[in-house]
């Protein structure tokens, strides 16, 4: 009987040893796979591709600022101011008569230049004073304002010389509705970046993983060209870095 008990005990110990060995083997295999996955993941994290996506869109300006500039010269300021008042009256009549509202017009204070007060200037001048007067139109009626600019010769017929080409008083066009097109443009730029990344991955016999980093560049708004300042080009570039996987 004692021999039988001894055999049973020996068999149990042997079975435990086998089970322990099997569990150890399974653990080693699992650990091996885990380590391999970790190493592969670590290795893949070093394999990235950075691409840029561009989106450009042409838009029409929705705000125009038009300075209507006149200048008067003379030696008597009251006389000059009387001329300015007559000019302003004619300019306002021209603007309002052609669809520009009071809220779109502002009249700046006249700017006076006194040649006699210029220390280093030529004292032998015909006229002592030059007075610059500016009436500013700010409007969203782009086409209307452009037509008025083209027809301002009507003011010349009334003896009002509108000054053109002064760099201090340039007609400017703006696009102020950027927020309405931002989402669409960002989506398009991102899609273009993804397309470039997919092509790179295919050429390198890899596939794209998750995004590592992404950044959106600033939006820029510029004239399409020097001849059509009322047409703007809106541009944005996104930069995205993807992980590459086998």
């Amino acid at each position: 009987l004692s021999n039988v008990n001894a055999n049973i005990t020996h068999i149990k110990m042997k079975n435990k040893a086998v089970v322990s060995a099997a569990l150890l083997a399974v653990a080693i295999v699992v650990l091996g796979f885990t380590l391999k996955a970790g190493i592969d993941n670590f290795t893949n994290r070093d394999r990235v591709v950075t691409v840029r996506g561009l989106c450009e869109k042409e838009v029409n300006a929705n705000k125009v600022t038009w300075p209507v500039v006149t200048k008067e010269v003379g030696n008597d300021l009251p006389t000059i101011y009387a001329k300015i008042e007559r000019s302003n009256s004619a300019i306002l009549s021209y603007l309002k008569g052609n669809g520009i509202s009071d809220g779109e017009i502002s009249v700046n204070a006249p700017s006076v230049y006194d040649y006699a007060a210029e220390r280093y200037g030529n004292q032998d001048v015909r006229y002592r004073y030059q007075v610059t007067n500016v009436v500013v139109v700010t409007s969203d009626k782009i086409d209307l304002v452009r037509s008025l600019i083209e027809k301002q010769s009507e003011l010349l017929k009334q003896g009002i010389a509108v000054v053109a080409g002064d760099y201090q008083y340039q007609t400017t066009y703006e696009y102020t509705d950027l927020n309405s097109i931002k989402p669409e443009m960002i989506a398009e730029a991102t899609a273009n970046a993804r397309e470039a990344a997919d092509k790179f991955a295919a050429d390198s016999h890899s596939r794209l993983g998750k995004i590592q980093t992404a950044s959106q560049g600033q939006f820029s708004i510029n004239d399409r060209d020097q001849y059509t300042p009322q047409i703007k080009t809106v541009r944005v570039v996104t930069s995205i870095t993807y992980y590459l996987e086998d």
Side-chain angles (χ1 to χ4, degrees):
L1 183 59
S2 60
N3 290 335
V4 172
N5 289 335
N7 289 335
I8 292 174
T9 300
H10 178 72
I11 291 171
K12 288 181 177 181
M13 292 179 65
K14 187 175 180 180
N15 288 340
K16 286 181 179 180
V18 171
V19 171
S20 296
L23 290 175
L24 179 60
V26 170
I28 291 173
V29 171
V30 172
L31 179 61
F33 279 115
T34 302
L35 288 174
K36 183 179 183 303
I39 292 172
D40 289 343
N41 185 56
F42 181 79
T43 301
N44 286 334
R45 290 181 98 66
D46 288 335
R47 299 176 58 219
V48 296
V49 58
T50 300
V51 291
R52 291 185 176 183
L54 168 66
C55 179
E56 288 186 339
K57 186 177 181 68
E58 284 190 0
V59 296
N60 292 319
N62 60 358
K63 178 182 177 182
V64 59
T65 302
W66 172 33
V68 185
V69 184
T70 56
K71 293 187 179 184
E72 298 289 346
V73 294
N75 295 311
D76 181 64
L77 282 178
T79 302
I80 294 174
Y81 277 104
K83 291 181 179 179
I84 288 174
E85 288 182 355
R86 288 195 296 271
S87 294
N88 280 352
S89 177
I91 291 170
L92 294 177
S93 177
Y94 170 71
L95 295 175
K96 294 177 183 180
N98 285 281
I100 301 298
S101 66
D102 287 329
E104 297 171 305
I105 303 171
S106 62
V107 180
N108 292 357
S111 173
V112 180
Y113 186 85
D114 185 351
Y115 288 98
E118 179 60 45
R119 181 177 179 184
Y120 299 104
N122 182 5
Q123 301 301 313
D124 185 19
V125 292
R126 182 176 180 184
Y127 298 110
R128 175 176 177 178
Y129 301 107
Q130 176 180 279
V131 179
T132 302
N133 183 62
V134 185
V135 177
V136 182
V137 176
T138 304
S139 175
D140 59 1
K141 302 168 185 172
I142 307 297
D143 292 337
L144 173 60
V145 172
R146 285 180 57 79
S147 70
L148 293 182
I149 293 173
E150 293 172 357
K151 295 190 302 182
Q152 60 185 322
S153 58
E154 293 181 16
L155 292 172
L156 293 176
K157 295 176 183 178
Q158 301 178 50
I160 300 170
V162 177
V163 178
D166 192 323
Y167 74 94
Q168 295 185 67
Y169 305 104
Q170 296 290 322
T171 300
T172 60
Y173 297 87
E174 301 174 59
Y175 179 71
T176 63
D177 199 22
L178 181 60
N179 286 337
S180 68
I181 62 174
K182 265 187 176 181
E184 173 191 344
M185 292 190 64
I186 292 173
E188 184 176 335
T190 302
N192 290 338
R194 175 77 190 203
E195 182 179 349
D198 280 331
K199 181 67 167 59
F200 182 91
D203 292 343
S204 61
H205 305 291
S206 303
R207 59 186 178 86
L208 288 185
K210 296 180 179 179
I211 292 177
Q212 182 191 53
T213 59
S215 63
Q216 173 202 311
Q218 290 187 338
F219 279 82
S220 63
I221 304 176
N222 298 295
D223 295 346
R224 184 183 67 177
D225 54 63
Q226 61 180 326
Y227 307 106
T228 54
Q230 76 278 12
I231 301 177
K232 304 295 182 181
T233 298
V234 184
R235 187 176 189 269
V236 67
V237 177
T238 59
S239 180
I240 305 177
T241 298
Y242 291 93
Y243 290 113
L244 289 176
E245 301 175 353
D246 291 331

